[in-house]
């Protein structure tokens, strides 16, 4: 009762509290429901109903903090500054629900922390990976023994304010089971039109979530329920090119690793050339997680030398890398095409981009088409379309149409163990087939990506930035794609 007097809450909450308190007074403390009732009243007192932390509207300071913690990612930073600017002018606004989507290790989760610091709010993180119970989001009914509120309200209670920055980590890894579907329960939480009256089964009172800034993170959008995806503003956080990785390594990773391993900056010097060699030859990713592991190994090696009082040079040379990290394994370098019928293609994967080779060979036969290399249905169809397209344009390529009935065609995409699918290899397969039938080699250092139609049109495809980064990593100089992808 004493705690309730200090509370500034709405009439509805006050009325419910009084009613529940009277009920508690009449209860036998030995009764099974007594603990649920006392938990309920405690929760109502602990929730920050009308308590909001004050935002810091110094946009220049916010920009400084975001730039300090993250290299590049301009789109995301602009979106946060726009939100702050509107909030500053209007002083009251439904918080946006952002979904940062991109490959692992590009700094999606840590962005949430920076945003909270930039706008001076509390930071809450809730991991959704593998969550399969709807009650985790919405709470249990109070009729059950051991009933608890949902994790959303528990985290707000922990934060102590009703407007924290709330990171929902790994929203694409929600599961569903016999206990319900949590991604459907999140629809109410993440809808700016509905979430001002969020109803938790345990609390049974409307709670206002409209001031909470929800930031979801995901590696793969295709596994997020379409209705849930529709409620979020999706911001793509792509990978980093080598130059940006170099800046991240120098500004963020090295100081952190030196601190973690008890070294001072005078104990070890890693030059730009060496870091670039590590990036290009010992990692193959869009983010910087593997890079951090490799640099950590170099730093630990130095720590061992200091602890064992060995002689060493402060600077790490490229030759030392082979000793510390072993021989390099840069597998996706451009190999060249000494043969007709071999073309370089570009692929999008969840971890970023990759290059792949499409090989074609002709053997005497009756015009049969064989496809190998663990291809999915869409990619197989692309190959069939490419061959038909080539047949219909045979004359313009100076190919004798009767050739198609006398030769069998075999298309293979190496690394047979890796499943490959998608429509973007259409023009690559077509070029490989044309190269094989005309016995002309493809130009060097060139890669292709785009969907092909029967008429010979090229359609735009996705994942362009990742594909360009992969091509850059592999040393490719030119890329062919649909002009709609130019933007």
């Amino acid at each position: 009762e004493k705690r309730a007097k200090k509370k500034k809450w709405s009439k509805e909450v006050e009325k419910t509290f009084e009613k529940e308190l009277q009920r508690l007074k009449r209860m036998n403390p030995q009764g099974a429901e007594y603990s649920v009732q006392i938990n309920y009243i405690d929760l109502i007192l602990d929730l920050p109903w009308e308590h909001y932390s004050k935002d810091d509207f110094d946009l220049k300071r916010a920009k400084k903090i975001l730039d300090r913690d993250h290299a590049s990612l301009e789109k995301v930073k602009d979106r946060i500054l726009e939100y702050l600017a509107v909030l500053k002018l209007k002083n009251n606004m439904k918080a946006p629900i952002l979904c940062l989507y991109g490959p692992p290790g590009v700094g999606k989760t840590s962005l949430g922390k920076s945003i909270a610091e930039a706008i001076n709010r509390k930071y809450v993180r809730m991991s959704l990976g593998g969550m399969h119970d709807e009650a985790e989001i919405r709470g249990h009914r109070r009729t059950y023994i051991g009933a608890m509120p949902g994790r959303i309200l528990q985290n707000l209670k922990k934060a102590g304010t009703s407007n924290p920055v709330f990171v929902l980590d790994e929203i694409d890894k929600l599961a569903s089971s016999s206990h319900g579907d949590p991604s459907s329960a999140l629809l109410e939480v993440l809808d700016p039109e509905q979430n001002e009256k969020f109803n938790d089964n345990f609390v049974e009172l409307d709670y206002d979530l409209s001031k909470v800034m929800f930031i979801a993170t995901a590696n793969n959008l295709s596994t997020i329920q379409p209705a849930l995806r529709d409620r979020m503003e999706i911001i793509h956080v792509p990978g980093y090119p080598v130059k940006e990785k170099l800046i991240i390594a120098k500004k963020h990773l090295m100081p952190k690793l030196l601190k973690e391993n008890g070294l001072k900056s005078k104990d070890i010097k890693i030059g730009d050339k060496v870091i670039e060699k590590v990036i290009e030859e010992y990692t193959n990713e869009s983010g910087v997680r593997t890079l951090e592991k490799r640099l950590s190994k170099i730093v630990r090696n130095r720590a061992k030398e200091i602890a064992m009082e060995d002689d060493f040079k402060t600077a790490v040379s490229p030759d030392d890398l082979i000793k510390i990290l072993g021989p390099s394994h840069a597998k996706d370098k451009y190999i060249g095409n000494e043969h007709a019928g071999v073309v370089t293609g570009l692929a999008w994967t969840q971890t970023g981009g990759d290059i792949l080779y499409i090989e074609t060979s002709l053997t005497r036969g009756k015009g049969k088409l064989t496809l190998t290399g663990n291809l999915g249905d869409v990619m197989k169809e692309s190959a069939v379309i490419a061959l038909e397209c080539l047949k219909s344009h045979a004359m313009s390529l100076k190919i004798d149409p009767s050739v198609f009935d006398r030769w069998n065609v075999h298309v293979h995409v190496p690394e047979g163990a890796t499943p490959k699918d998608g429509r973007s290899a259409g023009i690559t397969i077509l070029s490989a087939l044309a190269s094989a039938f005309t016995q002309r080699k493809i130009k060097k250092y060139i890669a292709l990506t785009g969907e092909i139609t029967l008429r010979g049109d090229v359609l735009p495809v996705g994942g362009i930035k990742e594909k360009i980064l992969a091509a850059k990593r592999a040393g490719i100089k030119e890329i062919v794609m649909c002009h709609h992808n130019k933007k």
Side-chain angles (χ1 to χ4, degrees):
E1 275 176 331
K2 266 186 199 160
R3 280 164 72 194
K5 275 178 192 140
K6 293 178 196 156
K7 283 281 185 188
K8 294 190 190 83
W9 47 28
S10 64
K11 289 268 184 293
E12 188 194 358
V13 180
E14 198 172 344
K15 204 166 125 194
T16 307
F17 176 78
E18 286 301 327
K19 192 172 126 201
E20 296 295 338
L21 190 66
Q22 295 311 319
R23 194 168 156 219
L24 182 75
K25 287 177 178 176
R26 293 195 300 273
M27 261 185 190
N28 174 7
Q30 254 64 51
E33 271 190 24
Y34 184 80
S35 62
V36 175
Q37 187 67 9
I38 203 146
N39 281 349
Y40 178 71
I41 284 177
D42 260 341
L43 179 74
I44 284 188
L45 286 167
D46 288 338
L47 281 172
W49 293 93
E50 304 294 320
H51 186 67
Y52 297 98
S53 60
K54 202 159 168 13
D55 289 329
D56 184 345
F57 293 126
D58 185 348
L59 267 69
K60 289 200 170 68
R61 171 183 166 272
K63 190 172 178 355
K64 247 187 211 143
I65 288 173
L66 292 171
D67 286 341
R68 179 198 74 196
D69 292 348
H70 292 271
S72 83
L73 306 182
E74 302 310 324
K75 246 192 206 160
V76 194
K77 293 175 187 171
D78 281 349
R79 183 64 189 88
I80 303 309
L81 293 173
E82 280 167 19
Y83 169 63
L84 271 180
V86 176
L87 206 55
K88 183 177 182 174
L89 300 177
K90 197 180 163 203
N91 213 0
N92 167 22
M93 174 197 183
K94 287 188 175 120
I97 284 146
L98 307 177
C99 175
L100 305 176
Y101 130 76
V106 292
K108 298 184 296 291
T109 309
S110 58
L111 248 169
K113 230 179 197 150
S114 303
I115 291 168
E117 192 186 337
I119 63 181
N120 204 14
R121 286 191 182 183
K122 285 274 200 295
Y123 168 75
V124 178
R125 180 181 157 274
M126 171 174 158
S127 179
L128 301 176
M131 187 188 284
H132 58 86
D133 188 353
E134 176 239 3
E136 291 270 348
I137 307 278
R138 247 201 219 124
H140 304 266
R141 303 221 166 274
R142 269 188 298 147
T143 47
Y144 302 116
I145 302 298
M148 280 167 74
R151 296 260 296 277
I152 303 281
L153 288 192
Q154 283 181 40
N155 279 310
L156 287 185
K157 175 182 138 183
K158 218 186 282 175
T161 69
S162 285
N163 64 340
V165 170
F166 201 123
V167 174
L168 297 164
D169 225 359
E170 312 289 3
I171 200 164
D172 54 332
K173 294 175 186 66
L174 277 171
S176 61
S177 70
S178 55
H179 298 289
D181 176 10
S183 67
S184 304
L186 273 175
L187 292 178
E188 186 188 4
V189 177
L190 297 182
D191 190 334
E193 301 303 319
Q194 294 174 26
N195 68 7
E196 56 197 44
K197 285 189 165 55
F198 171 66
N199 207 306
D200 188 286
N201 289 334
F202 184 82
V203 178
E204 288 177 341
L205 287 163
D206 289 341
Y207 197 94
D208 184 3
L209 296 178
S210 64
K211 304 282 189 293
V212 178
M213 189 168 187
F214 286 105
I215 297 174
T217 73
N219 297 135
N220 184 3
L221 288 182
S222 59
T223 53
I224 302 176
Q225 204 190 49
L228 189 58
R229 204 162 69 204
D230 192 45
R231 283 163 166 76
M232 303 186 288
E233 186 178 332
I234 287 162
I235 297 179
H236 188 189
V237 185
Y240 304 106
V242 176
K243 277 182 186 157
E244 280 175 11
K245 283 188 185 176
L246 184 63
I247 295 167
I248 294 167
K250 281 167 35 180
K251 262 177 69 176
H252 302 287
L253 303 180
M254 282 310 293
K256 178 181 157 193
L257 291 171
L258 291 176
K259 196 173 161 194
E260 277 178 7
N261 292 292
L263 294 186
K264 298 191 174 59
S265 54
K266 66 172 196 298
D267 293 331
I268 185 166
K269 293 258 182 309
I270 306 182
D272 292 5
K273 285 270 181 329
V274 176
I275 296 179
E276 268 181 38
K277 193 176 163 73
V278 174
I279 293 168
E280 287 177 349
E281 295 184 18
Y282 290 91
T283 69
N284 176 25
E285 53 169 1
S286 298
V288 290
R289 212 165 266 159
T290 314
L291 175 60
E292 187 176 355
K293 288 175 191 160
R294 301 286 178 264
L295 291 174
S296 175
K297 176 110 176 84
I298 297 169
V299 174
R300 287 199 309 273
N301 186 67
R302 179 51 48 88
K304 186 182 82 179
E305 288 174 340
I306 293 172
M308 292 176 82
E309 295 176 3
D310 292 345
D311 290 336
F312 60 83
K313 288 193 186 106
T314 353
V316 176
S317 72
D319 297 340
D320 294 340
L321 291 182
I322 296 174
K323 224 163 42 200
I324 302 168
L325 299 175
S328 72
H329 49 257
K331 73 168 175 45
D332 63 347
K333 273 281 175 226
Y334 176 77
I335 305 166
N337 43 354
E338 300 310 309
H339 308 280
V342 178
V343 184
T344 312
L346 297 171
W348 178 89
T349 63
Q350 278 186 40
T351 53
D354 230 334
I355 68 168
L356 46 86
Y357 293 94
I358 289 176
E359 304 175 341
T360 316
S361 78
L362 304 177
T363 47
R364 291 235 172 238
K366 297 213 171 89
K368 194 170 132 240
L369 172 66
T370 314
L371 304 168
T372 54
N374 205 339
L375 310 181
D377 292 344
V378 180
M379 204 157 168
K380 283 179 181 164
E381 284 178 0
S382 289
V384 175
I385 293 166
L387 186 58
E388 288 305 317
C389 184
L390 186 69
K391 284 178 183 173
S392 61
H393 292 82
M395 298 305 276
S396 60
L397 289 165
K398 299 190 177 63
I399 300 172
D400 176 9
S402 64
V403 168
F404 296 108
D405 301 328
R406 299 199 306 271
W407 296 86
N408 285 343
V409 184
H410 187 135
V411 177
H412 176 64
V413 186
E415 284 197 42
T418 318
K420 306 163 200 76
D421 202 4
R423 55 202 171 85
S424 63
I427 63 170
T428 324
I429 298 173
L430 178 64
S431 307
L433 291 168
S435 167
F437 276 107
T438 57
Q439 281 302 302
R440 288 162 63 190
K441 292 176 192 169
I442 296 278
K443 184 178 175 182
K444 282 191 170 167
Y445 299 111
I446 194 163
L448 302 94
T449 183
E451 181 179 359
I452 191 90
T453 69
L454 273 179
R455 295 193 307 276
D457 289 344
V458 180
L459 302 182
V461 289
I464 292 296
K465 181 154 182 186
E466 283 87 348
K467 287 174 180 174
I468 291 175
L469 291 180
K472 211 153 172 49
R473 280 203 297 271
I476 281 164
K477 309 252 187 322
E478 291 174 90
I479 298 175
V480 177
M481 59 176 124
C482 173
H483 67 98
H484 287 301
N485 274 135
K486 188 175 173 178
K487 61 184 187 294

